[in-house]
Amino acid sequence: MKRQNLHCHTTYDDGADSPEMMIFAAMKAGLSGLGISLHCPLKGEEDWTCASADELRFIDEMHRLRELFAGHLDIWCGLEYDMDAGRRSVPPYDYIIGSCHLLSGIPLDNDPETAAQLIAYHGGETKAAQLYYERLSAMAAMPEISIVGHFDLPTKFDERVGLYNTASPAYREAAFAAMEKLNAAGKIFEINSGAISRGWRTTPYPSEELLRHLSALGGRVCISSDAHAAAHIDCAFDQCEALARACGFRELWHFNGTDFAPVAL
Ligand SMILES: [Zn+2]
Ligand SMILES: [Zn+2]
């Protein structure tokens, strides 16, 4: 199976490397396709999102690179949309990943201290988790979003500093309900190794329990690295594939330029 990665970042947002560096890394890793997914412009969050003024420049650059590398690597221009951006018309991206990085303007995944403040602000980990999954599940009504980004992002720091009780009935109920709603809306869930490359987790998002639930629902998955540096372009893909198989998935959903199609795993 040829691999592809539809989720990574560059110097157009909070990535460390240029699009060319990510493309070279993808070719070296033997990927057949690479989608660079821009962090959607978001007012007040310019330190990690793309400046509005640069968005069209990014799209033009991606189209230039697609032509330049044609025949060597399929290159796509993606968007990592954030739920805080609100509904709006978006420029012509090839596909859209939908993510939720903030609750009440507080980042979920910056560092454990901020994550703990977010929980305190929202009245405890159960309420924070419920709010997060409710917010995420609103993407079910957004047909332009194809992929759910890092589904259980709030758990990013749990291996090191346990913040969420993912075994509690309330947490599981909230996560399962969001997963069921998003799956029923036809969303593809990414198995995302981004927190592995950043040293926070030893396993990808979503958790094995959630992936098993998704598999039982007949859900669809893809594998992505959410790389913020060229060195991480295919981080832990072996592990992600093994986990997908162990959870019962027999195929991954790959982008073909216009749509998603199953590829045997
Ligand atoms: Zn993200
Ligand atoms: Zn990302």
Side-chain angles (χ1 to χ4, degrees):
M1 178 195 64
K2 280 282 194 179
R3 288 170 167 172
Q4 63 174 216
N5 176 29
L6 298 177
H7 191 163
C8 69
H9 300 278
T10 68
T11 46
Y12 279 88
D13 46 36
D14 59 345
D17 293 316
S18 66
E20 285 95 335
M21 294 279 284
M22 301 306 273
I23 288 166
F24 290 139
M27 291 197 294
K28 197 172 165 200
L31 302 188
S32 62
L34 177 71
I36 295 179
S37 51
L38 189 74
H39 273 306
C40 181
L42 201 51
K43 220 170 179 332
E45 304 292 334
E46 288 80 5
D47 55 333
W48 59 277
T49 62
C50 177
S52 289
D54 290 338
E55 190 174 14
L56 293 178
R57 200 163 59 82
F58 168 75
I59 293 172
D60 285 347
E61 175 67 353
M62 292 304 295
H63 290 167
R64 184 185 75 81
L65 293 169
R66 174 185 296 168
E67 296 301 315
L68 193 62
F69 289 93
H72 301 281
L73 180 71
D74 290 333
I75 295 170
W76 301 295
C77 179
L79 179 74
E80 185 178 7
Y81 182 82
D82 188 283
M83 291 305 284
D84 266 27
R87 287 297 293 270
R88 58 183 200 130
S89 63
V90 290
Y93 290 98
D94 292 321
Y95 62 89
I96 300 179
I97 300 167
S99 297
C100 178
H101 300 98
L102 304 157
L103 281 185
S104 308
I106 308 171
L108 284 148
D109 62 328
N110 267 16
D111 55 69
E113 295 73 27
T114 311
Q117 285 164 13
L118 179 148
I119 287 172
Y121 179 85
H122 291 97
E125 49 105 2
T126 300
K127 285 193 174 140
Q130 287 167 335
L131 186 62
Y132 168 79
Y133 283 115
E134 253 170 51
R135 218 162 148 50
L136 197 68
S137 63
M139 288 190 318
M142 300 171 73
E144 66 273 27
I145 292 175
S146 300
I147 300 172
V148 179
H150 36 61
F151 178 76
D152 50 355
L153 181 69
T155 65
K156 178 173 179 176
F157 307 113
D158 280 358
E159 279 188 32
R160 306 262 288 269
V161 281
L163 294 174
Y164 289 88
N165 179 6
T166 57
S168 77
Y171 177 92
R172 294 173 77 241
E173 192 180 316
F176 285 178
M179 181 165 265
E180 287 160 17
K181 193 169 169 189
L182 291 165
N183 178 60
K187 306 303 181 196
I188 296 168
F189 290 70
E190 60 171 12
I191 300 178
N192 175 316
S193 64
I196 299 177
S197 59
R198 290 170 173 227
W200 287 109
R201 291 170 62 114
T202 56
T203 58
Y205 309 105
S207 70
E208 182 169 342
E209 182 186 31
L210 290 170
L211 278 175
R212 286 188 184 280
H213 188 67
L214 183 64
S215 176
L217 293 170
R220 301 188 293 166
V221 290
C222 63
I223 290 174
S224 66
S225 67
D226 201 354
H228 285 65
H232 301 143
I233 199 75
D234 62 345
C235 175
F237 272 24
D238 288 341
Q239 181 184 346
C240 293
E241 288 168 3
L243 178 62
R245 280 190 207 99
C247 290
F249 294 98
R250 294 292 170 262
E251 55 200 20
L252 298 176
W253 287 74
H254 277 191
F255 189 60
N256 61 20
T258 52
D259 207 350
F260 289 85
V263 174
L265 178 60

